[in-house]
Amino acid sequence: MRYTLLGLGVSNMAVLKDLLKNDEEVFVSELGKIPSEYKKILEENHVEYEEAGHTDRVFETDVLVVSPGINPNSDVIRRARKRGLKITTELEYSFDRIDPEKIIAVTGTNGKSTTTSLIAYILGQKYRVFEGGNLGTPLAEALNCPQCWDLLVVEVSSFQLTWCKRFKPHVGVLLNLAPDHLDWHSSFEEYAKTKISMFERQTTKDIALLNEKDEWIRRYADTLHSEVRWFNECAGYGVHVEGKFLHIEDIKLPFEEIKLGSHMLSNVVAAVSVARIVGLSSDEISDALKRFEGLPHRFKLVAEWEGIRFIDDSKATNAHAVLAALREFEDRSVVLIMSGKGKREDYSLLFDMIDRKCKAVVVFGEFVEYVTRMKNSVPVYVAKNMEEAVNRSVDMAEYGDTILLSPGGASFDLYSSYHERGEDFIRCVRKLIHRKKQEA
Protein backbone atom coordinates (compact mmCIF):
# COMPACT_ATOMS: atom_id res chain seq x y z
CA MET A 1 0.00 0.00 0.00
CA ARG A 2 1.21 3.54 -0.78
CA TYR A 3 1.18 6.26 1.88
CA THR A 4 1.68 10.01 1.56
CA LEU A 5 2.57 11.88 4.74
CA LEU A 6 1.25 15.42 4.42
CA GLY A 7 3.45 17.41 6.78
CA LEU A 8 6.39 15.97 8.69
CA GLY A 9 6.14 17.02 12.30
CA VAL A 10 6.49 14.90 15.43
CA SER A 11 3.29 12.91 14.88
CA ASN A 12 3.88 12.00 11.23
CA MET A 13 7.51 11.19 12.01
CA ALA A 14 6.24 8.52 14.40
CA VAL A 15 3.95 7.17 11.65
CA LEU A 16 6.89 7.13 9.23
CA LYS A 17 8.91 4.94 11.60
CA ASP A 18 6.09 2.42 11.80
CA LEU A 19 5.55 2.42 8.03
CA LEU A 20 9.25 1.82 7.41
CA LYS A 21 9.25 -0.99 9.96
CA ASN A 22 6.49 -2.64 7.94
CA ASP A 23 8.18 -2.01 4.56
CA GLU A 24 5.39 0.23 3.24
CA GLU A 25 5.87 2.61 0.30
CA VAL A 26 6.02 6.20 1.60
CA PHE A 27 6.19 9.69 0.11
CA VAL A 28 6.56 12.83 2.25
CA SER A 29 5.29 16.30 1.33
CA GLU A 30 6.07 19.26 3.61
CA LEU A 31 4.80 22.81 3.06
CA GLY A 32 7.77 24.29 4.94
CA LYS A 33 11.35 23.11 5.33
CA ILE A 34 12.08 19.61 6.59
CA PRO A 35 14.49 19.68 9.56
CA SER A 36 17.93 18.31 8.74
CA GLU A 37 17.66 15.47 11.27
CA TYR A 38 14.40 14.32 9.66
CA LYS A 39 15.85 14.68 6.18
CA LYS A 40 18.73 12.41 7.16
CA ILE A 41 16.27 9.67 8.20
CA LEU A 42 14.36 10.03 4.92
CA GLU A 43 17.51 9.75 2.83
CA GLU A 44 18.95 6.85 4.83
CA ASN A 45 15.71 4.92 4.23
CA HIS A 46 15.40 5.98 0.56
CA VAL A 47 12.10 7.80 1.18
CA GLU A 48 11.21 10.28 -1.56
CA TYR A 49 10.13 13.71 -0.36
CA GLU A 50 9.37 17.29 -1.30
CA GLU A 51 9.49 20.48 0.74
CA ALA A 52 8.46 24.13 0.43
CA GLY A 53 5.12 23.19 -1.15
CA HIS A 54 2.75 20.39 -2.14
CA THR A 55 2.76 19.13 -5.74
CA ASP A 56 0.36 16.71 -7.42
CA ARG A 57 2.67 13.89 -6.32
CA VAL A 58 0.77 14.09 -3.01
CA PHE A 59 -2.24 12.46 -4.65
CA GLU A 60 -0.39 9.43 -6.05
CA THR A 61 -1.25 7.37 -3.01
CA ASP A 62 -3.73 5.01 -1.38
CA VAL A 63 -3.73 6.74 2.01
CA LEU A 64 -3.05 10.37 2.91
CA VAL A 65 -1.81 10.77 6.50
CA VAL A 66 -2.37 14.40 7.47
CA SER A 67 -0.54 16.34 10.18
CA PRO A 68 -3.29 17.35 12.63
CA GLY A 69 -2.59 21.09 12.36
CA ILE A 70 -3.43 21.22 8.64
CA ASN A 71 -6.75 22.98 8.11
CA PRO A 72 -9.41 20.66 6.62
CA ASN A 73 -10.51 23.50 4.33
CA SER A 74 -7.06 23.97 2.81
CA ASP A 75 -6.66 23.64 -0.95
CA VAL A 76 -4.62 20.44 -0.81
CA ILE A 77 -7.26 18.70 1.33
CA ARG A 78 -10.13 19.83 -0.92
CA ARG A 79 -8.29 18.41 -3.91
CA ALA A 80 -7.59 15.14 -2.09
CA ARG A 81 -11.27 14.78 -1.22
CA LYS A 82 -12.30 15.43 -4.83
CA ARG A 83 -10.11 12.49 -5.82
CA GLY A 84 -11.77 10.28 -3.21
CA LEU A 85 -8.53 9.59 -1.33
CA LYS A 86 -8.62 7.91 2.07
CA ILE A 87 -7.53 10.58 4.59
CA THR A 88 -6.38 9.75 8.10
CA THR A 89 -4.14 11.18 10.82
CA GLU A 90 -1.57 9.77 13.24
CA LEU A 91 -4.10 9.30 16.07
CA GLU A 92 -6.45 7.17 13.99
CA TYR A 93 -3.61 5.35 12.20
CA SER A 94 -2.39 4.28 15.65
CA PHE A 95 -5.88 3.46 16.96
CA ASP A 96 -6.40 1.03 14.08
CA ARG A 97 -3.33 -0.93 15.27
CA ILE A 98 -3.89 -0.91 19.06
CA ASP A 99 -6.32 -2.73 21.35
CA PRO A 100 -8.99 -0.05 21.99
CA GLU A 101 -9.79 -1.58 25.39
CA LYS A 102 -6.44 -0.23 26.61
CA ILE A 103 -7.07 3.40 25.63
CA ILE A 104 -7.94 6.16 28.11
CA ALA A 105 -8.33 9.54 26.38
CA VAL A 106 -8.61 13.01 27.90
CA THR A 107 -9.97 16.02 26.05
CA GLY A 108 -11.47 19.41 26.87
CA THR A 109 -10.41 23.04 26.61
CA ASN A 110 -8.14 23.45 29.65
CA GLY A 111 -6.30 21.14 32.02
CA LYS A 112 -5.87 18.29 29.51
CA SER A 113 -2.11 17.89 29.78
CA THR A 114 -1.90 17.95 33.58
CA THR A 115 -4.90 15.62 33.93
CA THR A 116 -3.50 13.19 31.35
CA SER A 117 -0.13 13.16 33.09
CA LEU A 118 -1.74 12.78 36.54
CA ILE A 119 -3.89 9.84 35.38
CA ALA A 120 -0.85 8.15 33.85
CA TYR A 121 1.18 8.78 37.00
CA ILE A 122 -1.48 7.31 39.31
CA LEU A 123 -2.13 4.27 37.09
CA GLY A 124 1.62 3.75 36.83
CA GLN A 125 1.60 2.64 40.47
CA LYS A 126 0.05 -0.65 39.30
CA TYR A 127 0.28 -0.89 35.49
CA ARG A 128 2.71 -0.36 32.61
CA VAL A 129 1.35 2.90 31.21
CA PHE A 130 2.07 4.72 27.94
CA GLU A 131 1.57 8.49 28.33
CA GLY A 132 1.29 10.71 25.28
CA GLY A 133 -0.92 11.97 22.49
CA ASN A 134 -1.17 15.73 22.08
CA LEU A 135 0.80 15.96 25.34
CA GLY A 136 4.02 15.30 23.42
CA THR A 137 4.73 11.65 22.57
CA PRO A 138 2.56 10.53 19.62
CA LEU A 139 0.41 7.45 20.17
CA ALA A 140 2.18 5.92 17.14
CA GLU A 141 5.31 5.56 19.29
CA ALA A 142 3.45 2.86 21.23
CA LEU A 143 3.38 0.78 18.02
CA ASN A 144 7.08 0.03 18.55
CA CYS A 145 6.04 -2.41 21.27
CA PRO A 146 2.23 -2.64 21.73
CA GLN A 147 2.57 -5.57 24.12
CA CYS A 148 4.76 -3.48 26.44
CA TRP A 149 1.77 -1.43 27.65
CA ASP A 150 -1.15 -2.43 29.86
CA LEU A 151 -2.84 0.96 29.37
CA LEU A 152 -2.39 3.93 27.04
CA VAL A 153 -3.33 7.35 28.44
CA VAL A 154 -3.51 10.04 25.76
CA GLU A 155 -4.38 13.70 25.55
CA VAL A 156 -6.52 14.40 22.48
CA SER A 157 -6.94 17.81 20.83
CA SER A 158 -9.71 19.16 18.61
CA PHE A 159 -7.19 19.34 15.75
CA GLN A 160 -6.63 15.59 16.02
CA LEU A 161 -10.32 14.73 16.42
CA THR A 162 -11.25 16.79 13.35
CA TRP A 163 -9.73 14.04 11.18
CA CYS A 164 -11.02 11.01 13.11
CA LYS A 165 -13.89 8.76 12.02
CA ARG A 166 -13.21 5.70 14.20
CA PHE A 167 -11.09 6.74 17.20
CA LYS A 168 -12.83 6.05 20.50
CA PRO A 169 -11.36 5.36 23.93
CA HIS A 170 -12.56 2.69 26.31
CA VAL A 171 -12.58 5.41 28.99
CA GLY A 172 -13.01 8.97 27.76
CA VAL A 173 -12.74 12.09 29.91
CA LEU A 174 -14.23 15.46 28.95
CA LEU A 175 -12.97 18.11 31.37
CA ASN A 176 -14.65 21.30 30.15
CA LEU A 177 -15.69 23.23 27.05
CA ALA A 178 -14.97 26.90 26.44
CA PRO A 179 -14.32 28.91 23.26
CA ASP A 180 -10.85 28.12 21.91
CA HIS A 181 -9.08 27.86 18.54
CA LEU A 182 -11.80 29.96 16.92
CA ASP A 183 -9.11 31.14 14.53
CA TRP A 184 -9.18 27.55 13.20
CA HIS A 185 -12.69 26.21 13.90
CA SER A 186 -15.60 27.96 12.21
CA SER A 187 -17.55 28.43 15.47
CA PHE A 188 -17.64 27.39 19.12
CA GLU A 189 -20.43 24.91 18.33
CA GLU A 190 -18.29 23.22 15.68
CA TYR A 191 -15.34 23.12 18.12
CA ALA A 192 -17.57 21.59 20.85
CA LYS A 193 -19.03 18.97 18.48
CA THR A 194 -15.50 17.98 17.44
CA LYS A 195 -14.59 17.37 21.09
CA ILE A 196 -17.79 15.37 21.68
CA SER A 197 -17.29 13.23 18.56
CA MET A 198 -15.00 10.64 20.18
CA PHE A 199 -17.67 9.99 22.85
CA GLU A 200 -20.38 9.59 20.22
CA ARG A 201 -18.41 6.68 18.74
CA GLN A 202 -18.22 4.84 22.07
CA THR A 203 -20.39 1.75 22.64
CA THR A 204 -22.33 0.49 25.65
CA LYS A 205 -19.12 -1.26 26.81
CA ASP A 206 -17.25 2.06 27.10
CA ILE A 207 -17.28 4.77 29.77
CA ALA A 208 -17.64 8.54 29.35
CA LEU A 209 -16.54 10.58 32.36
CA LEU A 210 -18.08 14.04 31.97
CA ASN A 211 -18.03 17.33 33.88
CA GLU A 212 -21.62 17.82 35.04
CA LYS A 213 -21.08 21.52 35.82
CA ASP A 214 -20.48 22.29 32.14
CA GLU A 215 -23.70 23.31 30.37
CA TRP A 216 -22.42 22.40 26.90
CA ILE A 217 -21.32 18.95 28.02
CA ARG A 218 -24.69 18.23 29.68
CA ARG A 219 -26.40 19.24 26.45
CA TYR A 220 -24.67 16.42 24.53
CA ALA A 221 -24.74 13.70 27.22
CA ASP A 222 -28.13 12.25 26.24
CA THR A 223 -26.88 11.48 22.73
CA LEU A 224 -24.18 9.07 23.96
CA HIS A 225 -24.39 5.26 23.95
CA SER A 226 -21.65 4.70 26.51
CA GLU A 227 -22.03 4.46 30.28
CA VAL A 228 -21.94 8.09 31.47
CA ARG A 229 -20.36 8.89 34.81
CA TRP A 230 -20.23 12.43 36.15
CA PHE A 231 -17.70 14.45 38.10
CA ASN A 232 -17.26 18.05 39.28
CA GLU A 233 -14.96 19.92 41.65
CA CYS A 234 -16.83 18.41 44.63
CA ALA A 235 -17.35 14.78 43.75
CA GLY A 236 -16.63 12.04 41.24
CA TYR A 237 -16.58 8.26 41.00
CA GLY A 238 -15.34 6.94 44.36
CA VAL A 239 -14.10 10.37 45.48
CA HIS A 240 -15.56 13.49 47.07
CA VAL A 241 -14.41 16.80 48.53
CA GLU A 242 -15.30 17.94 52.03
CA GLY A 243 -13.86 21.10 53.50
CA LYS A 244 -10.15 21.17 52.67
CA PHE A 245 -9.87 17.43 52.23
CA LEU A 246 -10.12 14.97 49.35
CA HIS A 247 -11.89 11.79 50.47
CA ILE A 248 -11.04 8.54 48.66
CA GLU A 249 -12.94 5.83 50.53
CA ASP A 250 -11.27 5.71 53.98
CA ILE A 251 -8.41 8.06 52.99
CA LYS A 252 -8.68 11.74 53.95
CA LEU A 253 -6.06 13.72 51.99
CA PRO A 254 -5.49 17.44 52.76
CA PHE A 255 -5.41 19.68 49.65
CA GLU A 256 -2.10 21.16 50.79
CA GLU A 257 -0.45 17.77 50.20
CA ILE A 258 -1.46 17.90 46.52
CA LYS A 259 1.00 20.12 44.63
CA LEU A 260 -1.57 21.64 42.25
CA GLY A 261 -3.58 24.86 42.49
CA SER A 262 -7.20 24.81 43.68
CA HIS A 263 -8.24 25.75 40.13
CA MET A 264 -7.17 22.19 39.21
CA LEU A 265 -9.44 20.54 41.78
CA SER A 266 -12.07 19.28 39.32
CA ASN A 267 -9.29 17.81 37.18
CA VAL A 268 -7.83 16.03 40.22
CA VAL A 269 -11.28 14.60 40.92
CA ALA A 270 -11.50 13.45 37.28
CA ALA A 271 -8.09 11.74 37.49
CA VAL A 272 -8.99 9.99 40.75
CA SER A 273 -12.31 8.91 39.22
CA VAL A 274 -10.48 7.26 36.32
CA ALA A 275 -8.14 5.49 38.73
CA ARG A 276 -11.13 4.19 40.71
CA ILE A 277 -12.83 3.03 37.49
CA VAL A 278 -9.67 1.14 36.52
CA GLY A 279 -9.49 -0.42 39.98
CA LEU A 280 -6.70 1.21 41.97
CA SER A 281 -6.95 1.26 45.75
CA SER A 282 -7.38 4.45 47.76
CA ASP A 283 -3.86 4.00 49.20
CA GLU A 284 -2.28 3.71 45.74
CA ILE A 285 -4.13 6.82 44.55
CA SER A 286 -3.36 8.88 47.65
CA ASP A 287 0.35 8.02 47.56
CA ALA A 288 0.58 9.02 43.89
CA LEU A 289 -1.27 12.33 44.44
CA LYS A 290 1.18 13.33 47.17
CA ARG A 291 4.18 12.64 44.92
CA PHE A 292 2.92 14.17 41.66
CA GLU A 293 4.86 17.37 40.90
CA GLY A 294 2.78 18.73 38.04
CA LEU A 295 4.06 19.69 34.60
CA PRO A 296 6.41 22.47 33.48
CA HIS A 297 4.89 25.86 32.58
CA ARG A 298 1.56 25.06 34.20
CA PHE A 299 1.18 27.40 37.17
CA LYS A 300 4.67 26.63 38.48
CA LEU A 301 6.46 28.76 41.06
CA VAL A 302 9.73 29.91 39.46
CA ALA A 303 11.19 32.00 42.27
CA GLU A 304 10.41 34.22 45.24
CA TRP A 305 12.38 37.42 45.82
CA GLU A 306 11.79 40.18 48.35
CA GLY A 307 8.34 38.74 49.06
CA ILE A 308 7.32 38.76 45.38
CA ARG A 309 6.42 35.42 43.76
CA PHE A 310 7.06 34.69 40.07
CA ILE A 311 4.70 32.09 38.54
CA ASP A 312 5.08 30.54 35.08
CA ASP A 313 1.72 29.65 33.53
CA SER A 314 2.87 29.82 29.90
CA LYS A 315 0.51 26.94 28.99
CA ALA A 316 -2.46 29.30 29.56
CA THR A 317 -3.09 29.98 25.88
CA ASN A 318 -6.73 31.10 26.06
CA ALA A 319 -8.99 33.35 28.12
CA HIS A 320 -10.57 30.47 30.06
CA ALA A 321 -7.16 29.31 31.32
CA VAL A 322 -6.12 32.80 32.48
CA LEU A 323 -9.45 33.19 34.27
CA ALA A 324 -8.83 29.94 36.16
CA ALA A 325 -5.32 31.06 37.16
CA LEU A 326 -6.43 34.51 38.38
CA ARG A 327 -9.08 32.98 40.67
CA GLU A 328 -6.20 31.67 42.82
CA PHE A 329 -5.27 35.17 44.01
CA GLU A 330 -6.45 37.90 46.34
CA ASP A 331 -7.84 41.05 44.73
CA ARG A 332 -5.31 43.56 43.38
CA SER A 333 -2.33 41.32 44.14
CA VAL A 334 -1.20 40.32 40.64
CA VAL A 335 0.95 41.93 37.98
CA LEU A 336 -0.11 39.96 34.91
CA ILE A 337 2.15 39.40 31.90
CA MET A 338 0.24 38.61 28.71
CA SER A 339 1.45 37.85 25.19
CA GLY A 340 0.79 35.70 22.17
CA LYS A 341 -1.55 35.22 19.29
CA GLY A 342 -5.26 35.66 19.99
CA LYS A 343 -7.91 33.11 19.00
CA ARG A 344 -10.98 35.28 18.29
CA GLU A 345 -12.36 34.70 21.78
CA ASP A 346 -14.73 36.81 23.84
CA TYR A 347 -12.42 38.41 26.42
CA SER A 348 -15.08 40.32 28.37
CA LEU A 349 -15.18 37.94 31.37
CA LEU A 350 -11.39 37.84 31.50
CA PHE A 351 -11.13 41.63 31.42
CA ASP A 352 -13.62 41.83 34.31
CA MET A 353 -11.49 39.37 36.31
CA ILE A 354 -8.32 41.34 35.50
CA ASP A 355 -10.02 44.46 36.85
CA ARG A 356 -10.59 42.65 40.17
CA LYS A 357 -7.41 40.64 40.61
CA CYS A 358 -4.66 42.68 38.94
CA LYS A 359 -2.88 45.87 39.91
CA ALA A 360 -1.30 46.11 36.44
CA VAL A 361 -0.96 44.28 33.12
CA VAL A 362 2.20 44.17 31.02
CA VAL A 363 1.73 42.94 27.47
CA PHE A 364 3.94 42.30 24.44
CA GLY A 365 3.61 40.58 21.07
CA GLU A 366 0.43 40.37 19.00
CA PHE A 367 -1.75 40.28 22.12
CA VAL A 368 -1.17 44.01 22.53
CA GLU A 369 -4.09 44.70 20.18
CA TYR A 370 -6.52 42.83 22.48
CA VAL A 371 -5.35 44.12 25.87
CA THR A 372 -5.05 47.78 24.87
CA ARG A 373 -8.79 47.67 24.01
CA MET A 374 -9.58 46.83 27.63
CA LYS A 375 -11.65 49.60 29.20
CA ASN A 376 -10.67 48.92 32.81
CA SER A 377 -9.17 50.82 35.71
CA VAL A 378 -6.07 48.60 35.64
CA PRO A 379 -3.04 50.27 34.03
CA VAL A 380 -1.68 48.53 30.93
CA TYR A 381 1.95 48.77 29.86
CA VAL A 382 3.32 47.64 26.50
CA ALA A 383 6.74 45.98 26.46
CA LYS A 384 9.00 45.04 23.56
CA ASN A 385 9.83 41.54 24.79
CA MET A 386 9.79 39.17 27.77
CA GLU A 387 12.81 40.70 29.47
CA GLU A 388 11.32 44.19 29.43
CA ALA A 389 7.97 42.77 30.59
CA VAL A 390 9.56 41.05 33.60
CA ASN A 391 11.62 44.13 34.51
CA ARG A 392 8.60 46.43 34.22
CA SER A 393 6.47 44.07 36.32
CA VAL A 394 8.95 44.08 39.21
CA ASP A 395 8.85 47.87 39.31
CA MET A 396 5.10 47.69 40.01
CA ALA A 397 5.00 44.71 42.37
CA GLU A 398 5.18 44.97 46.15
CA TYR A 399 5.82 42.55 48.99
CA GLY A 400 3.11 39.85 48.91
CA ASP A 401 2.30 40.34 45.21
CA THR A 402 2.64 37.80 42.40
CA ILE A 403 4.06 38.36 38.94
CA LEU A 404 2.12 35.91 36.82
CA LEU A 405 2.96 34.93 33.26
CA SER A 406 -0.43 33.73 32.02
CA PRO A 407 -0.34 34.86 28.39
CA GLY A 408 -3.87 34.20 27.12
CA GLY A 409 -2.68 33.60 23.56
CA ALA A 410 -0.82 31.00 21.51
CA SER A 411 2.96 31.38 21.52
CA PHE A 412 3.50 31.41 17.76
CA ASP A 413 3.80 35.17 17.34
CA LEU A 414 7.28 35.21 18.92
CA TYR A 415 8.09 31.66 20.06
CA SER A 416 8.05 28.14 18.64
CA SER A 417 6.00 26.80 21.58
CA TYR A 418 4.57 27.67 24.99
CA HIS A 419 7.54 25.72 26.40
CA GLU A 420 10.04 28.11 24.78
CA ARG A 421 8.03 31.08 26.04
CA GLY A 422 7.98 29.69 29.58
CA GLU A 423 11.72 29.02 29.50
CA ASP A 424 12.30 32.61 28.37
CA PHE A 425 10.27 33.85 31.34
CA ILE A 426 12.32 31.67 33.73
CA ARG A 427 15.57 32.94 32.19
CA CYS A 428 14.48 36.59 32.51
CA VAL A 429 13.33 36.14 36.12
CA ARG A 430 16.62 34.52 37.14
CA LYS A 431 18.61 37.19 35.32
CA LEU A 432 16.64 39.96 37.06
CA ILE A 433 17.05 38.43 40.53
CA HIS A 434 20.78 37.92 39.96
CA ARG A 435 21.15 41.56 38.92
CA LYS A 436 19.15 42.85 41.89
CA LYS A 437 21.29 40.83 44.30
CA GLN A 438 24.45 42.19 42.69
CA GLU A 439 23.14 45.73 43.07
CA ALA A 440 22.20 45.24 46.74
Side-chain angles (χ1 to χ4, degrees):
M1 189 171 281
R2 298 172 302 167
Y3 289 82
T4 290
L5 304 186
L6 194 65
L8 193 62
V10 173
S11 61
N12 266 1
M13 197 65 202
V15 173
L16 175 67
K17 291 176 187 174
D18 189 66
L19 290 171
L20 292 175
K21 183 179 73 177
N22 291 290
D23 296 319
E24 300 287 4
E25 183 182 336
V26 188
F27 174 69
V28 171
S29 180
E30 169 59 56
L31 186 62
K33 284 201 73 175
I34 296 175
S36 57
E37 63 270 26
Y38 286 3
K39 204 176 284 189
K40 184 180 178 186
I41 294 170
L42 295 175
E43 290 167 355
E44 285 175 350
N45 289 278
H46 310 291
V47 176
E48 294 186 30
Y49 64 87
E50 63 184 12
E51 57 184 338
H54 304 305
T55 68
D56 285 352
R57 176 73 190 279
V58 164
F59 310 117
E60 296 172 16
T61 188
D62 300 305
V63 182
L64 188 63
V65 186
V66 180
S67 288
I70 293 176
N71 195 299
N73 296 316
S74 62
D75 179 63
V76 66
I77 297 301
R78 283 200 298 267
R79 292 166 67 198
R81 285 186 172 134
K82 269 188 180 178
R83 287 168 167 81
L85 288 179
K86 179 181 178 181
I87 301 175
T88 189
T89 192
E90 175 269 329
L91 183 67
E92 194 136 89
Y93 172 92
S94 307
F95 173 77
D96 290 339
R97 292 157 177 81
I98 286 174
D99 179 0
E101 295 293 310
K102 294 182 175 184
I103 298 176
I104 298 168
V106 179
T107 195
T109 301
N110 292 304
K112 299 186 297 297
S113 297
T114 299
T115 307
T116 300
S117 191
L118 179 56
I119 291 170
Y121 188 80
I122 297 172
L123 298 183
Q125 310 306 302
K126 188 173 183 178
Y127 299 102
R128 299 172 301 166
V129 178
F130 174 89
E131 175 188 342
N134 191 60
L135 179 64
T137 306
L139 183 57
E141 293 287 356
L143 301 178
N144 293 329
C145 183
Q147 70 276 14
C148 294
W149 310 108
D150 300 315
L151 296 166
L152 302 106
V153 183
V154 291
E155 175 190 335
V156 182
S157 73
S158 62
F159 293 168
Q160 291 170 307
L161 289 172
T162 293
W163 299 102
C164 290
K165 294 182 173 62
R166 295 176 303 284
F167 177 81
K168 68 172 188 69
H170 177 52
V171 179
V173 183
L174 184 52
L175 297 173
N176 44 57
L177 286 174
D180 196 16
H181 300 301
L182 299 185
D183 53 337
W184 202 84
H185 294 282
S186 61
S187 65
F188 172 57
E189 187 170 1
E190 188 247 304
Y191 165 76
K193 284 181 176 178
T194 301
K195 292 283 192 182
I196 291 287
S197 64
M198 78 174 188
F199 299 92
E200 292 177 330
R201 289 187 287 268
Q202 288 183 305
T203 70
T204 54
K205 296 178 181 178
D206 301 316
I207 296 170
L209 183 65
L210 310 178
N211 187 340
E212 69 175 342
K213 290 292 182 75
D214 193 296
E215 179 188 344
W216 276 89
I217 293 175
R218 289 201 312 273
R219 187 179 302 182
Y220 288 107
D222 290 341
T223 68
L224 306 183
H225 303 293
S226 51
E227 179 185 345
V228 173
R229 295 185 183 177
W230 298 98
F231 76 95
N232 56 46
E233 71 275 10
C234 298
Y237 181 75
V239 57
H240 72 276
V241 175
E242 194 175 311
K244 293 185 178 182
F245 295 89
L246 191 70
H247 292 257
I248 313 164
E249 287 190 334
D250 55 332
I251 299 288
K252 188 177 176 182
L253 181 64
F255 293 160
E256 62 190 28
E257 293 189 25
I258 303 172
K259 304 176 187 72
L260 298 169
S262 61
H263 67 295
M264 285 293 294
L265 187 55
S266 67
N267 298 334
V268 171
V269 170
V272 173
S273 297
V274 171
R276 297 295 293 137
I277 288 167
V278 173
L280 267 72
S281 70
S282 53
D283 283 324
E284 289 168 329
I285 296 169
S286 175
D287 289 346
L289 284 174
K290 286 186 277 191
R291 290 197 302 271
F292 184 70
E293 295 288 341
L295 296 176
H297 313 300
R298 287 135 173 114
F299 208 80
K300 299 287 281 188
L301 180 65
V302 172
E304 190 163 346
W305 173 79
E306 298 289 326
I308 299 169
R309 295 192 306 158
F310 297 82
I311 291 180
D312 169 17
D313 194 30
S314 182
K315 183 66 166 66
T317 60
N318 57 51
H320 192 256
V322 183
L323 267 169
L326 287 174
R327 289 191 184 105
E328 292 284 308
F329 300 101
E330 299 293 328
D331 290 356
R332 296 287 175 173
S333 66
V334 177
V335 179
L336 178 64
I337 299 176
M338 305 189 78
S339 75
K341 200 175 178 66
K343 301 177 181 178
R344 290 176 47 218
E345 298 177 77
D346 179 357
Y347 294 99
S348 55
L349 287 176
L350 173 58
F351 290 165
D352 288 345
M353 181 66 76
I354 287 172
D355 207 28
R356 273 181 49 205
K357 299 290 184 178
C358 298
K359 61 180 4 176
V361 177
V362 183
V363 60
F364 65 98
E366 288 187 23
F367 217 70
V368 168
E369 67 172 289
Y370 293 96
V371 178
T372 50
R373 285 191 230 139
M374 186 171 64
K375 294 181 173 61
N376 288 25
S377 58
V378 176
V380 175
Y381 301 92
V382 177
K384 294 175 185 172
N385 51 37
M386 182 70 78
E387 186 165 358
E388 186 180 328
V390 169
N391 292 341
R392 193 74 185 263
S393 298
V394 169
D395 292 340
M396 292 177 286
E398 299 173 314
Y399 187 93
D401 288 344
T402 298
I403 295 173
L404 172 67
L405 171 68
S406 196
S411 58
F412 305 123
D413 58 338
L414 297 171
Y415 300 96
S416 63
S417 65
Y418 72 83
H419 175 82
E420 185 186 0
R421 178 170 60 191
E423 290 299 314
D424 194 25
F425 175 71
I426 293 168
R427 180 189 64 80
C428 292
V429 168
R430 288 174 178 165
K431 182 178 177 182
L432 177 136
I433 292 173
H434 177 74
R435 190 184 77 242
K436 293 285 187 182
K437 285 178 177 178
Q438 293 292 104
E439 292 171 354

